[in-house]
Amino acid sequence: MHWDGTSWRFFNVPSQWPPDSVGPVSLVHAIAKNNVWFVAGQLIQWDGKSYHQHVETRDQMDWVRKYEMWGDAKRLYIVGGAGILNEPGSIFHYDYTTLSRITVPNLQTGVNDVWGVGDTAICVASEWDTADTETRVIRLVGRTATEAYTGEAPSSGKSIWFMNTSRMYMTAGHCKMWNGTAWNRFPKPPESFGFKMKVRGSGYNNILMVGQFGHVLHFNGADWKIVTMPSPNDLYYFIDCVVFPDDLFILGMKGAYPVVMHGRRVKRN
Protein backbone atom coordinates (compact mmCIF):
# COMPACT_ATOMS: atom_id res chain seq x y z
CA MET A 1 0.00 0.00 0.00
CA HIS A 2 1.26 3.50 -0.87
CA TRP A 3 0.07 6.72 0.78
CA ASP A 4 0.46 9.86 -1.36
CA GLY A 5 -0.74 12.30 1.30
CA THR A 6 -4.38 12.02 0.27
CA SER A 7 -5.28 8.40 -0.45
CA TRP A 8 -4.02 4.80 -0.35
CA ARG A 9 -3.17 2.78 -3.46
CA PHE A 10 -2.60 -0.98 -3.59
CA PHE A 11 0.16 -2.35 -5.81
CA ASN A 12 2.06 -5.60 -6.35
CA VAL A 13 5.81 -6.13 -6.01
CA PRO A 14 7.00 -8.44 -8.83
CA SER A 15 9.20 -11.41 -8.07
CA GLN A 16 11.36 -13.69 -10.18
CA TRP A 17 10.92 -16.65 -7.86
CA PRO A 18 8.93 -18.34 -9.23
CA PRO A 19 9.39 -16.49 -12.52
CA ASP A 20 6.86 -13.75 -13.32
CA SER A 21 5.15 -14.12 -9.95
CA VAL A 22 4.09 -11.73 -7.21
CA GLY A 23 5.90 -12.37 -3.94
CA PRO A 24 4.55 -11.84 -0.43
CA VAL A 25 6.25 -8.76 1.03
CA SER A 26 7.42 -9.13 4.63
CA LEU A 27 9.35 -5.84 5.03
CA VAL A 28 9.69 -2.44 3.37
CA HIS A 29 12.21 0.31 4.07
CA ALA A 30 12.38 3.66 2.27
CA ILE A 31 15.82 5.27 2.22
CA ALA A 32 14.62 8.01 -0.13
CA LYS A 33 11.60 8.70 -2.31
CA ASN A 34 13.21 6.85 -5.22
CA ASN A 35 15.13 4.27 -3.21
CA VAL A 36 12.73 1.82 -1.56
CA TRP A 37 13.66 -1.72 -0.54
CA PHE A 38 11.36 -4.71 -0.12
CA VAL A 39 11.96 -8.16 1.33
CA ALA A 40 9.96 -10.70 -0.67
CA GLY A 41 11.99 -13.90 -0.41
CA GLN A 42 14.86 -11.79 -1.73
CA LEU A 43 15.75 -8.10 -1.73
CA ILE A 44 13.93 -5.99 -4.31
CA GLN A 45 14.62 -2.29 -4.95
CA TRP A 46 12.30 0.35 -6.38
CA ASP A 47 14.24 3.25 -7.97
CA GLY A 48 11.22 5.41 -8.70
CA LYS A 49 10.69 3.93 -12.15
CA SER A 50 11.19 0.17 -11.99
CA TYR A 51 11.90 -2.78 -9.70
CA HIS A 52 15.31 -4.43 -9.49
CA GLN A 53 15.57 -8.05 -8.34
CA HIS A 54 18.64 -8.82 -6.24
CA VAL A 55 18.54 -12.54 -6.85
CA GLU A 56 21.94 -13.07 -5.19
CA THR A 57 20.22 -12.52 -1.82
CA ARG A 58 17.57 -15.21 -2.30
CA ASP A 59 19.39 -18.34 -1.12
CA GLN A 60 20.30 -16.91 2.29
CA MET A 61 17.17 -14.90 3.05
CA ASP A 62 14.49 -17.28 1.86
CA TRP A 63 14.94 -19.59 4.86
CA VAL A 64 14.51 -17.22 7.79
CA ARG A 65 11.74 -15.06 9.18
CA LYS A 66 12.38 -11.35 8.74
CA TYR A 67 11.20 -8.99 11.48
CA GLU A 68 12.72 -5.58 10.73
CA MET A 69 14.98 -3.70 8.31
CA TRP A 70 16.98 -0.47 8.54
CA GLY A 71 19.52 1.10 6.23
CA ASP A 72 20.94 4.14 4.48
CA ALA A 73 22.82 4.86 1.28
CA LYS A 74 25.75 2.67 2.39
CA ARG A 75 24.14 -0.41 3.88
CA LEU A 76 21.05 -2.40 4.81
CA TYR A 77 20.53 -4.50 7.93
CA ILE A 78 17.80 -7.14 8.01
CA VAL A 79 17.08 -8.96 11.29
CA GLY A 80 14.82 -11.85 12.11
CA GLY A 81 14.19 -15.09 13.91
CA ALA A 82 14.17 -18.80 13.47
CA GLY A 83 13.23 -20.06 10.04
CA ILE A 84 11.94 -23.37 8.74
CA LEU A 85 15.30 -24.93 9.64
CA ASN A 86 14.81 -23.72 13.23
CA GLU A 87 17.90 -21.56 13.07
CA PRO A 88 18.53 -19.01 15.85
CA GLY A 89 18.14 -15.28 15.40
CA SER A 90 19.60 -13.82 12.23
CA ILE A 91 21.30 -10.55 11.27
CA PHE A 92 22.13 -9.76 7.63
CA HIS A 93 24.32 -6.96 6.26
CA TYR A 94 23.98 -5.87 2.65
CA ASP A 95 26.43 -3.37 1.12
CA TYR A 96 24.44 -3.35 -2.15
CA THR A 97 26.90 -5.83 -3.61
CA THR A 98 27.22 -8.72 -1.15
CA LEU A 99 24.79 -10.08 1.42
CA SER A 100 26.58 -11.34 4.55
CA ARG A 101 25.20 -13.06 7.60
CA ILE A 102 26.61 -11.66 10.85
CA THR A 103 27.36 -14.25 13.51
CA VAL A 104 26.68 -13.45 17.17
CA PRO A 105 28.01 -16.08 19.60
CA ASN A 106 25.35 -18.03 21.52
CA LEU A 107 22.45 -16.10 19.98
CA GLN A 108 19.49 -18.40 20.60
CA THR A 109 16.58 -15.94 20.35
CA GLY A 110 15.03 -13.93 17.57
CA VAL A 111 16.37 -10.48 16.72
CA ASN A 112 13.29 -8.30 17.05
CA ASP A 113 14.29 -4.83 15.89
CA VAL A 114 17.13 -2.78 14.42
CA TRP A 115 17.66 0.96 14.20
CA GLY A 116 20.70 3.00 13.24
CA VAL A 117 22.29 6.41 12.86
CA GLY A 118 25.40 6.98 10.75
CA ASP A 119 27.76 4.02 10.85
CA THR A 120 26.20 2.41 13.93
CA ALA A 121 23.09 0.24 14.20
CA ILE A 122 21.64 -1.37 17.32
CA CYS A 123 19.71 -4.66 17.49
CA VAL A 124 17.44 -5.99 20.22
CA ALA A 125 17.25 -9.75 20.70
CA SER A 126 15.02 -11.61 23.16
CA GLU A 127 12.14 -14.03 23.49
CA TRP A 128 9.87 -11.02 23.90
CA ASP A 129 6.67 -13.07 24.07
CA THR A 130 7.95 -14.94 27.12
CA ALA A 131 7.86 -12.94 30.34
CA ASP A 132 11.14 -11.66 31.81
CA THR A 133 13.60 -13.22 29.38
CA GLU A 134 17.09 -11.80 28.92
CA THR A 135 17.55 -9.00 26.40
CA ARG A 136 20.73 -8.82 24.34
CA VAL A 137 21.64 -5.42 22.92
CA ILE A 138 23.92 -5.84 19.90
CA ARG A 139 25.93 -3.02 18.33
CA LEU A 140 26.62 -3.28 14.60
CA VAL A 141 29.37 -1.42 12.76
CA GLY A 142 29.76 -2.76 9.24
CA ARG A 143 29.83 -6.54 9.52
CA THR A 144 31.10 -6.48 13.14
CA ALA A 145 28.73 -7.24 16.03
CA THR A 146 29.53 -6.61 19.71
CA GLU A 147 27.52 -6.92 22.91
CA ALA A 148 26.79 -3.42 24.20
CA TYR A 149 24.70 -1.24 26.51
CA THR A 150 24.06 -4.03 29.01
CA GLY A 151 23.60 -1.92 32.15
CA GLU A 152 20.21 -3.13 33.45
CA ALA A 153 18.71 -3.63 30.01
CA PRO A 154 14.95 -4.23 30.27
CA SER A 155 13.88 -7.86 30.07
CA SER A 156 12.02 -9.10 26.99
CA GLY A 157 13.27 -6.23 24.81
CA LYS A 158 11.19 -5.74 21.67
CA SER A 159 11.96 -2.42 19.95
CA ILE A 160 14.58 0.35 20.00
CA TRP A 161 14.84 3.90 18.64
CA PHE A 162 17.38 6.72 19.00
CA MET A 163 18.97 9.72 17.35
CA ASN A 164 22.35 9.05 18.97
CA THR A 165 23.61 6.16 21.08
CA SER A 166 23.91 8.28 24.23
CA ARG A 167 20.10 8.44 24.48
CA MET A 168 18.09 5.41 23.36
CA TYR A 169 14.53 4.23 24.04
CA MET A 170 13.58 0.55 24.32
CA THR A 171 10.17 -1.06 24.68
CA ALA A 172 9.80 -4.35 26.50
CA GLY A 173 7.74 -5.94 29.26
CA HIS A 174 8.52 -2.54 30.73
CA CYS A 175 10.18 0.44 29.03
CA LYS A 176 13.48 2.16 29.66
CA MET A 177 15.80 4.87 28.35
CA TRP A 178 19.58 4.56 27.97
CA ASN A 179 21.21 7.69 29.37
CA GLY A 180 24.78 6.98 28.30
CA THR A 181 25.58 4.86 31.35
CA ALA A 182 22.60 2.65 32.21
CA TRP A 183 19.01 1.85 31.32
CA ASN A 184 16.47 3.76 33.43
CA ARG A 185 12.70 4.03 33.43
CA PHE A 186 11.20 6.53 31.01
CA PRO A 187 10.79 9.98 32.57
CA LYS A 188 7.29 10.48 33.99
CA PRO A 189 5.68 7.47 32.22
CA PRO A 190 1.86 7.48 32.22
CA GLU A 191 -0.04 4.65 33.84
CA SER A 192 -0.61 2.01 31.18
CA PHE A 193 -0.58 -1.75 30.83
CA GLY A 194 0.11 -4.22 28.06
CA PHE A 195 3.27 -4.97 26.13
CA LYS A 196 4.77 -2.13 24.07
CA MET A 197 5.48 -3.47 20.58
CA LYS A 198 7.25 -0.59 18.83
CA VAL A 199 8.92 2.75 19.57
CA ARG A 200 9.73 5.29 16.86
CA GLY A 201 10.19 9.05 16.67
CA SER A 202 11.13 12.01 14.51
CA GLY A 203 12.97 13.77 17.34
CA TYR A 204 13.42 13.54 21.09
CA ASN A 205 10.37 15.78 21.45
CA ASN A 206 8.20 13.55 19.24
CA ILE A 207 8.36 9.89 20.29
CA LEU A 208 5.59 7.30 19.94
CA MET A 209 5.13 3.91 21.60
CA VAL A 210 2.37 1.51 20.53
CA GLY A 211 1.31 -1.90 21.79
CA GLN A 212 -1.28 -4.24 23.18
CA PHE A 213 -4.74 -3.09 24.30
CA GLY A 214 -4.53 -0.19 21.87
CA HIS A 215 -2.03 1.72 23.92
CA VAL A 216 -0.49 4.69 22.14
CA LEU A 217 1.90 6.80 24.20
CA HIS A 218 3.34 10.08 22.94
CA PHE A 219 6.34 11.96 24.40
CA ASN A 220 6.61 15.67 23.58
CA GLY A 221 10.01 16.20 25.16
CA ALA A 222 8.64 16.90 28.63
CA ASP A 223 5.71 14.57 29.37
CA TRP A 224 4.12 11.32 28.20
CA LYS A 225 0.47 11.29 27.19
CA ILE A 226 -1.90 8.42 26.46
CA VAL A 227 -3.56 8.97 23.06
CA THR A 228 -7.26 8.06 22.94
CA MET A 229 -8.48 6.08 19.91
CA PRO A 230 -11.80 6.65 18.08
CA SER A 231 -13.16 3.44 19.65
CA PRO A 232 -12.31 2.01 23.09
CA ASN A 233 -8.56 1.43 23.19
CA ASP A 234 -8.82 -2.20 24.28
CA LEU A 235 -10.39 -3.10 20.91
CA TYR A 236 -7.03 -2.44 19.22
CA TYR A 237 -3.75 -4.34 19.06
CA PHE A 238 -0.99 -2.20 17.56
CA ILE A 239 2.24 -3.71 16.25
CA ASP A 240 4.06 -0.97 14.32
CA CYS A 241 4.30 2.77 13.81
CA VAL A 242 6.03 5.37 11.65
CA VAL A 243 6.60 8.92 12.89
CA PHE A 244 7.24 12.11 10.91
CA PRO A 245 7.41 15.68 12.27
CA ASP A 246 3.75 16.41 11.40
CA ASP A 247 2.27 12.96 10.67
CA LEU A 248 2.25 9.50 12.18
CA PHE A 249 0.95 6.11 11.08
CA ILE A 250 0.04 3.18 13.35
CA LEU A 251 -0.54 -0.36 12.09
CA GLY A 252 -2.32 -3.18 13.86
CA MET A 253 -5.67 -4.85 14.39
CA LYS A 254 -9.10 -3.74 15.54
CA GLY A 255 -10.81 -6.92 16.58
CA ALA A 256 -10.33 -9.33 13.66
CA TYR A 257 -9.62 -6.62 11.06
CA PRO A 258 -6.37 -4.93 10.02
CA VAL A 259 -6.28 -1.21 10.64
CA VAL A 260 -4.01 1.70 9.71
CA MET A 261 -4.38 4.83 11.84
CA HIS A 262 -3.19 8.21 10.53
CA GLY A 263 -2.56 11.09 12.91
CA ARG A 264 -1.68 14.66 11.96
CA ARG A 265 -0.26 17.42 14.12
CA VAL A 266 -2.72 20.22 14.81
CA LYS A 267 -0.87 23.50 14.55
CA ARG A 268 -2.16 26.21 16.85
CA ASN A 269 -2.23 29.88 15.87
Side-chain angles (χ1 to χ4, degrees), residues 30-72:
I31 296 172
K33 181 179 180 179
N34 296 326
N35 188 12
V36 183
W37 289 81
F38 301 90
V39 175
Q42 63 190 28
L43 283 167
I44 301 172
Q45 183 201 21
W46 167 256
D47 66 5
K49 296 181 180 179
S50 58
Y51 293 95
H52 301 273
Q53 313 277 335
H54 291 254
V55 295
E56 74 278 6
T57 66
R58 180 191 306 149
D59 289 344
Q60 291 191 70
M61 297 194 64
D62 199 32
W63 300 97
V64 298
R65 297 175 182 172
K66 281 74 69 175
Y67 294 155
E68 193 56 80
M69 175 167 54
W70 175 87
D72 57 18

Side-chain angles (χ1 to χ4, degrees), residues 84-162:
I84 61 174
L85 299 181
N86 201 30
E87 298 172 334
S90 56
I91 303 171
F92 292 97
H93 173 273
Y94 188 53
D95 62 3
Y96 303 112
T97 301
T98 303
L99 180 71
S100 305
R101 186 162 185 169
I102 298 174
T103 300
V104 179
N106 302 314
L107 180 61
Q108 300 299 322
T109 67
V111 183
N112 306 318
D113 198 12
V114 59
W115 186 261
V117 172
D119 292 332
T120 300
I122 307 294
C123 295
V124 178
S126 78
E127 294 289 354
W128 67 269
D129 54 352
T130 303
D132 296 326
T133 60
E134 178 188 11
T135 298
R136 297 181 66 177
V137 186
I138 301 164
R139 182 174 184 263
L140 303 173
V141 178
R143 297 183 181 89
T144 301
T146 56
E147 209 90 14
Y149 315 107
T150 56
E152 298 295 325
S155 58
S156 306
K158 181 66 169 67
S159 181
I160 192 166
W161 177 85
F162 55 91

